[in-house]
Amino acid sequence: MFGCECWCWDTEPDFHYSEPQPFSLPSPLPPWPKGQGFGTGRISLGEIEVAKITKFESVCSLRGKPKVVSFYKPVDIPEGFSCLGHYCQPNDQPLRGYVLVAREAATRKPELGCLQESESDLPPLKKPVNYSLIWNADSYNDGCGYLWLPNPPIGYRAMGFVVTNNPEEPKVDEIRCVREDLTETCETSDVIFSMDSKFSKDAFRIWSMTPCERGMWCQGVPVGTFFCSSYSDSEEDLCIGCLKNVNSSLDGMPNLNQVHALIQHYGPTLFFHPDEEYLPSSVQWFFKNGALLYRDGSEKGEPIEFGGSNLPAGGINDGKFWIDLPSDDDAKDCLKRGNMESSELYVHVKPALGGTFTDIAMWVFCPFNGPATLKVGLLTITLNKIGEHVGDWEHYTLRLSNFTGELWQIYFSEHSGGRWVDASDLEFIQGNKAVVYASKHGHASFPHPGTYIQGSSKLGIGARNDVARSKFFIDSSTRYQIIAAEYLGEGIVTEPCWLQYMREWGPTIVYDSRSELDKLLDLLPFYFRFSVENLIDLFPTELYGEEGPTGPKEKDNWEGDER
């Protein structure tokens, strides 16, 4: 059927590969403090209620070279709930996924807190009319896998595909479609499986899906299903969607007591490099020990009050204010080195993925970011000034399932970007507390010790991020301060004055990077001698000078999703 010979379907139990085993956290979950809907296993989205299923029955597998993926149908669905689609994942990872199942809410009347009245008298869930066979391997290698798209009734949308190991069309009772006004649009996320062919019509790909709009106030809820297509890219409009949480009360989110319990149970230990010179401190220690507020047009800085009450609050980052170190060399050096004893993690708690997850963003403040270290082949070169700046804000984010309170992922912020790491790939130090490593001088976060290159890993050229355990660490399960949790309402969490400061926490610095790199070229072996322009392209842009970094509330991920 397809113009390549690197894949086939298989449903035989004696197939030579082993299916992935389920993953569980190192320690059992504790009983969470009492609340409303958090940790109860079910969440109200308004007109429908959803539960998360993590137990599956294998349907069939798709072999490629070298990847194998398996398809699963959810099992142990609670009475009254209906399947919305099947699940797919690679076999080289632990079985670590979910799909949502849904049922009509007990009452069709709009709940207190719903964002809008129902747009229709139609039921929120309905059986598909029938199915369309999207892809199969029946004629190749005696394979027997079939991917079916539910054809929804008018006014409804399918949430996922159904997979069978025989050519018989699935029963319409097997799945439900969702009324369109209770859905949001999706986009493809990670590629789960890719099968290329010399004939474009024979290409086939499988992706995970995520809501198009993601952030603290967005309503899209991923179902956990997959998208597949015989096209070589995913730019087409997806024929399946995700759910929409129209219940603005966000019943599944944790209350303040539950938030404290979650942090105390999961709070990672943040390790700094053993050779780190520029350690963290509390914001208050930074202010108390000489940090100065400068205004545009004034050459003299003014001391900052202990809690930051004299900092300009709100507005935009207009460049008219910035914070800098004192002019006295001894005071400046003391401030640069930070103060571990005073340091703590500053916590922002917010809804994620339509209130079905909670993001706990943990911010660490360092008074100073040290110079960068470059790796060029086998050479390691420590720069004099490039990469330095005053006031360094870094963070990592815990993503927790509101169905159970289980840690799902941690986001590691790595300078200009970052990445989500599944709980199955984390390093745990005590119970369910993970380890986070801060890089030497730059304080970017990483999940495992070692050296990470930011630049061209293929050429071995870029900025070095060295991480390792040391005696310098912060236990964020005990040393933290919750600074914001907007969803809890006014008066529950008091935001500190300094959080409202939207300007730079350091002065603008422009480095003479060309002269530094001219010197660097003379040190390189012949086969590494690029032009200065080409070498610049291989290093992160922040090494060549930047405006002073802004605080947490000015970052895109404060209200938006992580990059």
Side-chain angles (χ1 to χ4, degrees):
M1 177 180 174
F2 287 86
C4 60
E5 298 183 0
C6 60
W7 61 273
C8 68
W9 287 91
D10 207 302
T11 58
E12 296 299 323
D14 60 350
F15 189 27
H16 66 274
Y17 73 87
S18 59
E19 287 192 357
Q21 296 301 305
F23 168 81
S24 59
L25 292 168
S27 297
L29 300 186
W32 305 115
K34 291 183 179 179
Q36 193 170 2
F38 175 80
T40 63
R42 300 178 183 182
I43 294 177
S44 169
L45 303 183
E47 290 192 52
I48 64 175
E49 183 181 32
V50 292
K52 185 167 76 170
I53 303 297
T54 57
K55 293 183 178 180
F56 300 103
E57 175 186 302
S58 178
V59 178
C60 55
S61 298
L62 176 60
R63 280 189 290 167
K65 287 186 178 178
K67 208 163 198 178
V68 180
V69 295
S70 291
F71 297 88
Y72 301 87
K73 63 183 297 184
V75 297
D76 294 348
I77 297 175
E79 186 176 355
F81 284 80
S82 298
C83 178
L84 299 175
H86 288 183
Y87 174 70
C88 176
Q89 75 155 61
N91 281 34
D92 60 358
Q93 300 173 6
L95 185 54
R96 171 74 169 167
Y98 71 91
V99 292
L100 298 186
V101 295
R103 72 176 180 183
E104 186 176 320
T107 174
R108 288 290 311 283
K109 295 179 180 178
E111 299 180 17
L112 181 64
C114 283
L115 295 180
Q116 60 188 17
E117 296 277 338
S118 173
E119 296 179 0
S120 173
D121 291 329
L122 297 172
L125 302 172
K126 222 171 185 180
K127 300 175 186 177
V129 176
N130 52 28
Y131 296 85
S132 295
L133 181 59
I134 299 300
W135 194 84
N136 78 89
D138 189 37
S139 62
Y140 184 84
N141 259 14
D142 296 322
C144 48
Y146 304 83
L147 273 65
W148 305 85
L149 174 67
N151 293 316
I154 295 175
Y156 289 78
R157 182 181 286 180
M159 297 287 104
F161 291 84
V162 174
V163 184
T164 64
N165 55 20
N166 62 72
E168 183 179 351
E169 183 174 326
K171 293 180 171 58
V172 293
D173 283 337
E174 186 168 336
I175 204 166
R176 293 293 184 272
C177 300
V178 181
R179 206 175 66 224
E180 282 186 343
D181 62 299
L182 302 178
T183 70
E184 290 272 25
T185 55
C186 272
E187 62 186 11
T188 56
S189 180
D190 298 325
V191 176
I192 300 173
F193 183 82
S194 178
M195 183 184 69
D196 294 319
S197 168
K198 58 184 178 181
F199 305 111
S200 59
K201 65 182 180 63
D202 291 339
F204 181 70
R205 282 175 173 77
I206 304 169
W207 295 266
S208 60
M209 298 192 305
T210 188
C212 292
E213 294 185 3
R214 300 179 298 279
M216 183 163 64
W217 305 121
C218 296
Q219 299 171 268
V221 174
V223 179
T225 54
F226 63 90
F227 178 75
C228 61
S229 173
S230 57
Y231 294 96
S232 59
D233 60 54
S234 60
E235 296 302 317
E236 58 184 298
D237 292 334
L238 302 194
C239 52
I240 54 179
C242 62
L243 295 171
K244 180 179 182 179
N245 189 352
V246 298
N247 185 0
S248 63
S249 63
L250 296 176
D251 294 341
M253 291 294 294
N255 61 30
L256 188 57
N257 287 336
Q258 291 168 333
V259 169
H260 282 293
L262 290 165
I263 295 172
Q264 290 159 14
H265 184 75
Y266 290 118
T269 298
L270 175 61
F271 282 100
F272 291 82
H273 194 274
D275 298 327
E276 182 60 74
E277 303 167 75
Y278 307 106
L279 293 165
S281 77
S282 70
V283 171
Q284 289 84 353
W285 182 90
F286 180 61
F287 294 161
K288 182 181 179 180
N289 285 270
L292 300 173
L293 174 67
Y294 283 83
R295 301 170 185 265
D296 189 28
S298 174
E299 295 183 1
K300 186 177 180 181
E302 62 180 276
I304 303 172
E305 298 293 334
F306 181 72
S309 58
N310 62 328
L311 293 172
I316 60 172
N317 181 19
D318 52 15
K320 294 184 178 180
F321 296 88
W322 63 92
I323 296 174
D324 204 352
L325 304 176
S327 56
D328 178 79
D329 287 341
D330 289 339
K332 181 184 296 185
D333 186 63
C334 175
L335 215 56
K336 280 183 176 182
R337 295 188 182 279
N339 180 266
M340 284 293 296
E341 290 72 23
S342 70
S343 60
E344 59 186 352
L345 276 297
Y346 298 105
V347 175
H348 179 210
V349 189
K350 57 181 179 175
L353 301 175
T356 55
F357 286 84
T358 294
D359 276 2
I360 298 180
M362 307 190 104
W363 293 86
V364 62
F365 175 73
C366 296
F368 196 74
N369 190 98
T373 300
L374 303 185
K375 179 177 174 57
V376 183
L378 297 177
L379 294 177
T380 295
I381 303 164
T382 301
L383 301 177
N384 291 326
K385 291 290 185 181
I386 292 178
E388 288 186 349
H389 60 77
V390 175
D392 189 27
W393 281 103
E394 300 291 346
H395 78 285
Y396 52 89
T397 298
L398 282 64
R399 178 158 287 179
L400 308 164
S401 168
N402 288 344
F403 292 94
T404 60
E406 183 181 2
L407 174 65
W408 205 252
Q409 295 172 305
I410 293 182
Y411 180 83
F412 293 83
S413 176
E414 302 169 1
H415 297 301
S416 299
R419 57 182 172 132
W420 286 104
V421 176
D422 191 88
S424 62
D425 195 30
L426 296 174
E427 181 181 332
F428 291 93
I429 193 171
Q430 178 186 0
N432 293 332
K433 296 175 182 177
V435 176
V436 176
Y437 295 92
S439 63
K440 181 184 175 184
H441 287 187
H443 313 124
S445 58
F446 296 89
H448 302 287
T451 298
Y452 298 80
I453 302 300
Q454 186 182 7
S456 173
S457 57
K458 183 178 180 180
L459 295 173
I461 298 177
R464 282 183 62 128
N465 290 277
D466 294 294
V467 296
R469 289 198 192 189
S470 74
K471 64 181 180 180
F472 308 122
F473 65 86
I474 309 174
D475 180 356
S476 65
S477 70
T478 58
R479 292 170 59 180
Y480 69 91
Q481 177 186 347
I482 299 176
I483 59 172
E486 295 90 339
Y487 74 93
L488 289 174
E490 293 185 10
I492 304 299
V493 174
T494 301
E495 298 185 2
C497 294
W498 56 261
L499 185 60
Q500 318 307 323
Y501 174 68
M502 301 299 177
R503 276 81 171 187
E504 286 97 355
W505 286 68
T508 298
I509 302 173
V510 178
Y511 304 111
D512 185 8
S513 56
R514 187 179 187 96
S515 64
E516 287 261 7
L517 291 175
D518 278 331
K519 297 175 185 177
L520 174 60
L521 286 174
D522 295 335
L523 301 175
L524 298 181
F526 175 78
Y527 51 85
F528 275 126
R529 293 195 178 185
F530 299 86
S531 68
V532 173
E533 288 75 15
N534 288 337
L535 196 59
I536 285 176
D537 289 340
L538 295 175
F539 295 117
T541 56
E542 59 263 30
L543 295 185
Y544 307 117
E546 60 174 82
E547 295 181 350
T550 52
K553 208 165 188 177
E554 186 71 7
K555 308 295 187 186
D556 291 341
N557 66 302
W558 184 266
E559 289 194 359
D561 199 9
E562 302 288 0
R563 289 183 289 178

